[in-house]
Amino acid sequence: MSGLHKCSSILVTGASRGIGLHLVETLMKSKPRPGKVIAAARDRSRAKELNRLAESHPDLYIVTLDVTNKDDIKAAFKEVESLVGDKGLNCLVNNAGIKLDSTLNEVTAEEMMKNFEVNTVSPLMVTKAFLPLLRKAAKQGTGMGIHRAAIVNVSSMLASIQLNWGEGTKEKWYPYHVSKTALNMVTRCLSSDLLGEGILCMSLCPGWVKTDMGGPQAQLTKEESIDNILKLISNLSEKDNGGFLNHTGETLPW
Ligand code: NDP
């Protein structure tokens, strides 16, 4: 895939299952591919498929990272820093997420806070922690994209305030919808704050994908979604900074 080889390093959170795992798996098979693929998983002992993948690809790096855990973030930073060295980190994919799908009658304050913690606060805190490495990479390039420094926040169409309106829309999952809408604002703030340093930030909806979260009825296989995601990520440029894009590259309404 064009562009991937210009990325020296990519870190994907939530790589034990689903979209994160398949993204890492596809990256490892891609030719050309990023120099260093780093998969973050919160509990390696349960990430059986990821461990199997690492057995057949000794150059796949796995780091332990519960995105809600400050000590994990610090330790993962140190590990990634030693892996990427002076080149810094070119691409951070904030993929880890949970979906609490409580409706109005069910929703509790605790569920709202939990989903907000994992889907909104943690991507911001992980990004903040890894900024020194993204900055290091950004200083060495020009333009914008994964050849330089990019943050991809995995969002959802369900974050869209505009699309979540009208008779056709389904039941409202308060914790999930709200947490991803707020994540989009994190994207907008970061993309504005980091623009001057050449660090791109965007929100990406992977589509409705057959994973544990998406369920078996989902429209897309992991393969279909990831092929599109990788094409999109490879070609990110200035015009995508601060954007909210579908996996096909279509701009989604906020
Ligand atoms: P899955 O439920 O299949 O996988 C979620 C991943 O996130 C797992 O690797 C899980 O790790 C990890 N994770 C959850 N909480 C944490 C945490 N605190 N720290 C670190 N990792 C964590 O979901 P998908 O692969 O489907 O979703 C990936 C992303 O895509 C999510 O952000 C989701 O919101 C988004 N998305 C998915 C859609 C879909 O249709 N599937 C649609 C739109 C967006 P563990 O194995 O340890 O639990």
Side-chain angles (χ1 to χ4, degrees):
M1 222 151 308
S2 75
L4 280 183
H5 63 292
K6 294 186 194 148
C7 172
S8 293
S9 54
I10 182 166
L11 169 63
V12 181
T13 68
S16 58
R17 300 183 274 132
I19 291 169
L21 173 65
H22 199 70
L23 181 57
V24 164
E25 201 173 0
T26 311
L27 281 169
M28 293 312 291
K29 287 187 206 146
S30 300
K31 281 187 187 130
R33 68 167 162 90
K36 288 199 166 79
V37 179
I38 308 162
R42 63 175 151 176
D43 182 354
R44 241 193 113 156
S45 65
R46 288 194 301 126
K48 294 207 168 54
E49 279 191 65
L50 182 62
N51 288 325
R52 260 201 301 276
L53 185 68
E55 276 165 25
S56 53
H57 294 278
D59 51 343
L60 168 64
Y61 304 92
I62 304 181
V63 298
T64 299
L65 178 57
D66 178 334
V67 294
T68 64
N69 183 313
K70 281 185 201 160
D71 294 336
D72 271 15
I73 296 178
K74 266 192 213 153
F77 173 82
K78 287 274 166 224
E79 252 186 278
V80 174
E81 185 180 39
S82 70
L83 284 172
V84 298
D86 291 340
K87 286 187 174 173
L89 179 66
N90 293 118
C91 184
L92 167 64
V93 182
N94 284 313
N95 164 75
I98 57 169
K99 175 166 71 69
L100 302 183
D101 51 9
S102 311
T103 59
L104 181 57
N105 282 336
E106 302 154 354
V107 68
T108 62
E110 290 72 24
E111 286 173 330
M112 291 299 292
M113 297 306 278
K114 183 68 198 167
N115 225 152
F116 196 66
E117 180 192 24
V118 179
N119 290 6
T120 316
V121 179
S122 297
L124 175 59
M125 292 304 128
V126 169
T127 301
K128 218 180 141 182
F130 281 86
L131 264 183
L133 299 181
L134 290 160
R135 287 191 166 122
K136 208 179 251 186
K139 285 202 178 105
Q140 299 171 45
T142 55
M144 280 188 134
I146 61 164
H147 65 281
R148 191 174 182 191
I151 302 152
V152 175
N153 287 329
V154 181
S155 181
S156 166
M157 204 176 262
L158 300 181
S160 171
I161 291 176
Q162 198 175 315
L163 294 177
N164 187 40
W165 190 247
E167 285 174 9
T169 56
K170 298 200 180 118
E171 56 187 1
K172 314 299 178 213
W173 299 328
Y174 282 76
Y176 187 71
H177 283 261
V178 174
S179 68
K180 290 290 188 182
T181 306
L183 174 65
N184 281 352
M185 184 54 97
V186 168
T187 294
R188 282 298 264 199
C189 293
L190 286 172
S191 59
S192 167
D193 275 340
L194 302 175
L195 173 67
E197 296 180 78
I199 303 173
L200 181 150
C201 182
M202 54 90 60
S203 277
L204 164 73
C205 172
W208 184 20
V209 191
K210 289 184 177 56
T211 60
D212 292 340
M213 185 187 291
Q217 308 301 325
Q219 287 165 339
L220 299 172
T221 61
K222 280 179 279 195
E223 289 71 19
E224 288 165 333
S225 170
I226 300 303
D227 281 357
N228 284 341
I229 289 176
L230 282 180
K231 266 184 220 135
L232 191 141
I233 291 182
S234 315
N235 293 310
L236 286 175
S237 68
E238 283 86 342
K239 68 179 186 337
D240 304 308
N241 188 42
F244 178 25
L245 302 181
N246 201 357
H247 60 106
T248 53
E250 178 197 354
T251 292
L252 291 168
W254 299 107

